[in-house]
Amino acid sequence: MAENKSRKPDWVIAKERAKKASAAETIWLFGLHAVRDALANPAREKLRLVVTKNALDRLGDTAGMEPEIIDARVFDKTVGLPPDSVHQGAALEVRPLNWGKLDEVAIAGEGLPLMVALDRVTDPHNVGAILRSAEVFGARAVIAPARHTAPETGALAKTASGALERQPYLRITNLSDGLEALKAAGFVTIGLAGETDAELDDVLDLVDGRPICLVLGAEGPGLREKTRETCDYLAKIPFAGQFGSLNVSNAAAAALYAATRRFKST
């Protein structure tokens, strides 16, 4: 049998399939706050709004969507949310947001020249809380690897309390490559590591108002070795007392606050 020379390479076929699967991906956002903010976001592609009558009265404007009103007793079964979801009788099926390219957001994005990078932070509640802090402190974006990091989910959106709709969350192919791209754009990368001697305030003094990317790892394992090697500096958040450990979302908030103060003082 003659060889089919026109057949695409396997890696090309796999990439095209992954792209199609990503384009078809949908997620359910739930809870009145998360649903209301998504409805108000013109950049969000909205597919299906499912609510109870009571939730619809509390939700208000549906942004032109025709809601499906269902009985509260069959809500969970109809939508298929996880059993512990606090949905308040409101759920919205959407497609993930597309925030654009990393270099565009880092250089020309709104907010302070401040980024947050997450190294395998898989808990959606932690990522949601970090997105909320990033928005509060004016960071341009939160970035994370596409694999082994929490994707957009209803739980993440609910914890983010609306920040998912406004705070860029870019999931990239390779975190180390992303950090190198930020460094090429003028950012200083600071990895948070509790075992290092340098304190965050001292490192912030050294960078003298330059754009900053704060890099945080998962609770327990922390930053991976490759990520640590890519960072310009490693720093710790000083603590008092014998118990000196913050969870990753609290550490992000503390680090963002410290960095923000430096930008406002320059």
PDB file of all heavy atoms in Angstrom, residues 104-127:
ATOM      1  N   GLU A 104       1.614  40.977  26.059  1.00  0.00           N
ATOM      2  CA  GLU A 104       0.701  42.107  25.907  1.00  0.00           C
ATOM      3  C   GLU A 104       0.143  42.550  27.258  1.00  0.00           C
ATOM      4  O   GLU A 104       0.094  43.748  27.567  1.00  0.00           O
ATOM      5  CB  GLU A 104      -0.443  41.740  24.967  1.00  0.00           C
ATOM      6  CG  GLU A 104      -0.007  41.453  23.539  1.00  0.00           C
ATOM      7  CD  GLU A 104      -1.116  40.887  22.681  1.00  0.00           C
ATOM      8  OE1 GLU A 104      -2.164  40.490  23.244  1.00  0.00           O
ATOM      9  OE2 GLU A 104      -0.934  40.840  21.461  1.00  0.00           O
ATOM     10  N   VAL A 105      -0.257  41.592  28.071  1.00  0.00           N
ATOM     11  CA  VAL A 105      -0.831  41.916  29.377  1.00  0.00           C
ATOM     12  C   VAL A 105       0.241  42.484  30.302  1.00  0.00           C
ATOM     13  O   VAL A 105       0.007  43.448  31.037  1.00  0.00           O
ATOM     14  CB  VAL A 105      -1.481  40.663  30.000  1.00  0.00           C
ATOM     15  CG1 VAL A 105      -1.955  40.958  31.419  1.00  0.00           C
ATOM     16  CG2 VAL A 105      -2.645  40.179  29.153  1.00  0.00           C
ATOM     17  N   ALA A 106       1.448  41.907  30.267  1.00  0.00           N
ATOM     18  CA  ALA A 106       2.519  42.334  31.166  1.00  0.00           C
ATOM     19  C   ALA A 106       2.984  43.745  30.855  1.00  0.00           C
ATOM     20  O   ALA A 106       3.248  44.546  31.762  1.00  0.00           O
ATOM     21  CB  ALA A 106       3.693  41.364  31.086  1.00  0.00           C
ATOM     22  N   ILE A 107       3.097  44.070  29.593  1.00  0.00           N
ATOM     23  CA  ILE A 107       3.670  45.356  29.196  1.00  0.00           C
ATOM     24  C   ILE A 107       2.611  46.447  29.093  1.00  0.00           C
ATOM     25  O   ILE A 107       2.809  47.569  29.549  1.00  0.00           O
ATOM     26  CB  ILE A 107       4.420  45.215  27.857  1.00  0.00           C
ATOM     27  CG1 ILE A 107       5.608  44.262  28.027  1.00  0.00           C
ATOM     28  CG2 ILE A 107       4.900  46.574  27.353  1.00  0.00           C
ATOM     29  CD1 ILE A 107       6.294  43.896  26.743  1.00  0.00           C
ATOM     30  N   ALA A 108       1.485  46.129  28.495  1.00  0.00           N
ATOM     31  CA  ALA A 108       0.472  47.153  28.228  1.00  0.00           C
ATOM     32  C   ALA A 108      -0.792  46.995  29.056  1.00  0.00           C
ATOM     33  O   ALA A 108      -1.761  47.723  28.862  1.00  0.00           O
ATOM     34  CB  ALA A 108       0.104  47.135  26.740  1.00  0.00           C
ATOM     35  N   GLY A 109      -0.795  46.043  29.991  1.00  0.00           N
ATOM     36  CA  GLY A 109      -1.991  45.810  30.786  1.00  0.00           C
ATOM     37  C   GLY A 109      -2.258  46.919  31.777  1.00  0.00           C
ATOM     38  O   GLY A 109      -1.382  47.724  32.101  1.00  0.00           O
ATOM     39  N   GLU A 110      -3.477  46.944  32.281  1.00  0.00           N
ATOM     40  CA  GLU A 110      -3.853  47.947  33.271  1.00  0.00           C
ATOM     41  C   GLU A 110      -3.257  47.582  34.629  1.00  0.00           C
ATOM     42  O   GLU A 110      -2.921  46.438  34.898  1.00  0.00           O
ATOM     43  CB  GLU A 110      -5.377  48.038  33.373  1.00  0.00           C
ATOM     44  CG  GLU A 110      -6.057  48.497  32.090  1.00  0.00           C
ATOM     45  CD  GLU A 110      -7.558  48.581  32.242  1.00  0.00           C
ATOM     46  OE1 GLU A 110      -8.055  48.282  33.343  1.00  0.00           O
ATOM     47  OE2 GLU A 110      -8.229  48.951  31.265  1.00  0.00           O
ATOM     48  N   GLY A 111      -3.146  48.576  35.486  1.00  0.00           N
ATOM     49  CA  GLY A 111      -2.668  48.330  36.838  1.00  0.00           C
ATOM     50  C   GLY A 111      -1.184  48.573  36.999  1.00  0.00           C
ATOM     51  O   GLY A 111      -0.490  49.019  36.082  1.00  0.00           O
ATOM     52  N   LEU A 112      -0.696  48.272  38.175  1.00  0.00           N
ATOM     53  CA  LEU A 112       0.721  48.450  38.494  1.00  0.00           C
ATOM     54  C   LEU A 112       1.571  47.456  37.711  1.00  0.00           C
ATOM     55  O   LEU A 112       1.076  46.391  37.299  1.00  0.00           O
ATOM     56  CB  LEU A 112       0.943  48.240  39.994  1.00  0.00           C
ATOM     57  CG  LEU A 112       0.270  49.239  40.938  1.00  0.00           C
ATOM     58  CD1 LEU A 112       0.399  48.761  42.377  1.00  0.00           C
ATOM     59  CD2 LEU A 112       0.878  50.615  40.783  1.00  0.00           C
ATOM     60  N   PRO A 113       2.866  47.751  37.514  1.00  0.00           N
ATOM     61  CA  PRO A 113       3.764  46.778  36.878  1.00  0.00           C
ATOM     62  C   PRO A 113       4.088  45.650  37.860  1.00  0.00           C
ATOM     63  O   PRO A 113       5.216  45.498  38.335  1.00  0.00           O
ATOM     64  CB  PRO A 113       4.989  47.619  36.522  1.00  0.00           C
ATOM     65  CG  PRO A 113       5.002  48.709  37.530  1.00  0.00           C
ATOM     66  CD  PRO A 113       3.563  49.023  37.807  1.00  0.00           C
ATOM     67  N   LEU A 114       3.069  44.879  38.168  1.00  0.00           N
ATOM     68  CA  LEU A 114       3.134  43.860  39.207  1.00  0.00           C
ATOM     69  C   LEU A 114       2.370  42.631  38.740  1.00  0.00           C
ATOM     70  O   LEU A 114       1.214  42.726  38.331  1.00  0.00           O
ATOM     71  CB  LEU A 114       2.523  44.420  40.505  1.00  0.00           C
ATOM     72  CG  LEU A 114       2.417  43.506  41.714  1.00  0.00           C
ATOM     73  CD1 LEU A 114       3.799  43.042  42.171  1.00  0.00           C
ATOM     74  CD2 LEU A 114       1.694  44.235  42.841  1.00  0.00           C
ATOM     75  N   MET A 115       3.028  41.475  38.789  1.00  0.00           N
ATOM     76  CA  MET A 115       2.419  40.223  38.355  1.00  0.00           C
ATOM     77  C   MET A 115       2.537  39.193  39.484  1.00  0.00           C
ATOM     78  O   MET A 115       3.379  39.313  40.376  1.00  0.00           O
ATOM     79  CB  MET A 115       3.131  39.680  37.118  1.00  0.00           C
ATOM     80  CG  MET A 115       3.236  40.644  35.960  1.00  0.00           C
ATOM     81  SD  MET A 115       1.766  40.676  34.933  1.00  0.00           S
ATOM     82  CE  MET A 115       1.955  39.124  34.044  1.00  0.00           C
ATOM     83  N   VAL A 116       1.705  38.170  39.417  1.00  0.00           N
ATOM     84  CA  VAL A 116       1.796  37.022  40.328  1.00  0.00           C
ATOM     85  C   VAL A 116       1.885  35.765  39.484  1.00  0.00           C
ATOM     86  O   VAL A 116       1.097  35.577  38.552  1.00  0.00           O
ATOM     87  CB  VAL A 116       0.576  36.932  41.266  1.00  0.00           C
ATOM     88  CG1 VAL A 116       0.679  35.691  42.154  1.00  0.00           C
ATOM     89  CG2 VAL A 116       0.446  38.191  42.108  1.00  0.00           C
ATOM     90  N   ALA A 117       2.847  34.910  39.782  1.00  0.00           N
ATOM     91  CA  ALA A 117       2.986  33.619  39.093  1.00  0.00           C
ATOM     92  C   ALA A 117       2.777  32.500  40.103  1.00  0.00           C
ATOM     93  O   ALA A 117       3.320  32.556  41.210  1.00  0.00           O
ATOM     94  CB  ALA A 117       4.364  33.502  38.440  1.00  0.00           C
ATOM     95  N   LEU A 118       2.001  31.507  39.728  1.00  0.00           N
ATOM     96  CA  LEU A 118       1.694  30.378  40.608  1.00  0.00           C
ATOM     97  C   LEU A 118       2.296  29.108  40.055  1.00  0.00           C
ATOM     98  O   LEU A 118       2.100  28.768  38.889  1.00  0.00           O
ATOM     99  CB  LEU A 118       0.173  30.219  40.749  1.00  0.00           C
ATOM    100  CG  LEU A 118      -0.590  31.454  41.238  1.00  0.00           C
ATOM    101  CD1 LEU A 118      -2.082  31.158  41.326  1.00  0.00           C
ATOM    102  CD2 LEU A 118      -0.057  31.933  42.580  1.00  0.00           C
ATOM    103  N   ASP A 119       3.035  28.409  40.895  1.00  0.00           N
ATOM    104  CA  ASP A 119       3.715  27.180  40.502  1.00  0.00           C
ATOM    105  C   ASP A 119       2.972  25.979  41.071  1.00  0.00           C
ATOM    106  O   ASP A 119       3.143  25.629  42.236  1.00  0.00           O
ATOM    107  CB  ASP A 119       5.162  27.222  41.010  1.00  0.00           C
ATOM    108  CG  ASP A 119       6.007  26.079  40.486  1.00  0.00           C
ATOM    109  OD1 ASP A 119       5.543  25.355  39.573  1.00  0.00           O
ATOM    110  OD2 ASP A 119       7.130  25.896  40.971  1.00  0.00           O
ATOM    111  N   ARG A 120       2.099  25.391  40.270  1.00  0.00           N
ATOM    112  CA  ARG A 120       1.342  24.197  40.656  1.00  0.00           C
ATOM    113  C   ARG A 120       0.486  24.405  41.898  1.00  0.00           C
ATOM    114  O   ARG A 120       0.453  23.568  42.802  1.00  0.00           O
ATOM    115  CB  ARG A 120       2.284  23.003  40.836  1.00  0.00           C
ATOM    116  CG  ARG A 120       2.999  22.622  39.544  1.00  0.00           C
ATOM    117  CD  ARG A 120       3.610  21.235  39.613  1.00  0.00           C
ATOM    118  NE  ARG A 120       4.189  20.871  38.331  1.00  0.00           N
ATOM    119  CZ  ARG A 120       4.552  19.625  38.002  1.00  0.00           C
ATOM    120  NH1 ARG A 120       4.395  18.644  38.863  1.00  0.00           N
ATOM    121  NH2 ARG A 120       5.064  19.361  36.826  1.00  0.00           N
ATOM    122  N   VAL A 121      -0.228  25.508  41.944  1.00  0.00           N
ATOM    123  CA  VAL A 121      -1.205  25.753  43.007  1.00  0.00           C
ATOM    124  C   VAL A 121      -2.536  25.190  42.517  1.00  0.00           C
ATOM    125  O   VAL A 121      -3.192  25.787  41.666  1.00  0.00           O
ATOM    126  CB  VAL A 121      -1.315  27.252  43.338  1.00  0.00           C
ATOM    127  CG1 VAL A 121      -2.343  27.471  44.448  1.00  0.00           C
ATOM    128  CG2 VAL A 121       0.052  27.797  43.755  1.00  0.00           C
ATOM    129  N   THR A 122      -2.923  24.045  43.026  1.00  0.00           N
ATOM    130  CA  THR A 122      -4.049  23.294  42.460  1.00  0.00           C
ATOM    131  C   THR A 122      -5.383  23.553  43.156  1.00  0.00           C
ATOM    132  O   THR A 122      -6.434  23.218  42.608  1.00  0.00           O
ATOM    133  CB  THR A 122      -3.760  21.788  42.507  1.00  0.00           C
ATOM    134  OG1 THR A 122      -3.506  21.406  43.866  1.00  0.00           O
ATOM    135  CG2 THR A 122      -2.540  21.442  41.662  1.00  0.00           C
ATOM    136  N   ASP A 123      -5.380  24.108  44.354  1.00  0.00           N
ATOM    137  CA  ASP A 123      -6.627  24.318  45.094  1.00  0.00           C
ATOM    138  C   ASP A 123      -7.367  25.522  44.512  1.00  0.00           C
ATOM    139  O   ASP A 123      -6.863  26.651  44.560  1.00  0.00           O
ATOM    140  CB  ASP A 123      -6.305  24.564  46.567  1.00  0.00           C
ATOM    141  CG  ASP A 123      -7.555  24.646  47.433  1.00  0.00           C
ATOM    142  OD1 ASP A 123      -8.644  24.950  46.901  1.00  0.00           O
ATOM    143  OD2 ASP A 123      -7.448  24.414  48.649  1.00  0.00           O
ATOM    144  N   PRO A 124      -8.567  25.322  43.968  1.00  0.00           N
ATOM    145  CA  PRO A 124      -9.295  26.453  43.368  1.00  0.00           C
ATOM    146  C   PRO A 124      -9.638  27.541  44.373  1.00  0.00           C
ATOM    147  O   PRO A 124      -9.740  28.716  44.002  1.00  0.00           O
ATOM    148  CB  PRO A 124     -10.561  25.802  42.794  1.00  0.00           C
ATOM    149  CG  PRO A 124     -10.720  24.529  43.547  1.00  0.00           C
ATOM    150  CD  PRO A 124      -9.336  24.063  43.868  1.00  0.00           C
ATOM    151  N   HIS A 125      -9.802  27.182  45.630  1.00  0.00           N
ATOM    152  CA  HIS A 125     -10.109  28.194  46.636  1.00  0.00           C
ATOM    153  C   HIS A 125      -8.907  29.105  46.862  1.00  0.00           C
ATOM    154  O   HIS A 125      -9.060  30.321  47.028  1.00  0.00           O
ATOM    155  CB  HIS A 125     -10.541  27.529  47.943  1.00  0.00           C
ATOM    156  CG  HIS A 125     -11.775  26.690  47.808  1.00  0.00           C
ATOM    157  ND1 HIS A 125     -11.727  25.336  47.560  1.00  0.00           N
ATOM    158  CD2 HIS A 125     -13.091  27.027  47.853  1.00  0.00           C
ATOM    159  CE1 HIS A 125     -12.954  24.867  47.472  1.00  0.00           C
ATOM    160  NE2 HIS A 125     -13.796  25.858  47.640  1.00  0.00           N
ATOM    161  N   ASN A 126      -7.710  28.533  46.872  1.00  0.00           N
ATOM    162  CA  ASN A 126      -6.511  29.359  47.007  1.00  0.00           C
ATOM    163  C   ASN A 126      -6.330  30.269  45.794  1.00  0.00           C
ATOM    164  O   ASN A 126      -6.022  31.454  45.932  1.00  0.00           O
ATOM    165  CB  ASN A 126      -5.275  28.473  47.170  1.00  0.00           C
ATOM    166  CG  ASN A 126      -5.037  28.062  48.611  1.00  0.00           C
ATOM    167  OD1 ASN A 126      -5.404  28.781  49.531  1.00  0.00           O
ATOM    168  ND2 ASN A 126      -4.438  26.904  48.811  1.00  0.00           N
ATOM    169  N   VAL A 127      -6.514  29.722  44.597  1.00  0.00           N
ATOM    170  CA  VAL A 127      -6.350  30.535  43.395  1.00  0.00           C
ATOM    171  C   VAL A 127      -7.404  31.642  43.353  1.00  0.00           C
ATOM    172  O   VAL A 127      -7.107  32.793  43.009  1.00  0.00           O
ATOM    173  CB  VAL A 127      -6.426  29.663  42.123  1.00  0.00           C
ATOM    174  CG1 VAL A 127      -6.362  30.541  40.873  1.00  0.00           C
ATOM    175  CG2 VAL A 127      -5.285  28.657  42.099  1.00  0.00           C
TER     176      VAL A 127
END
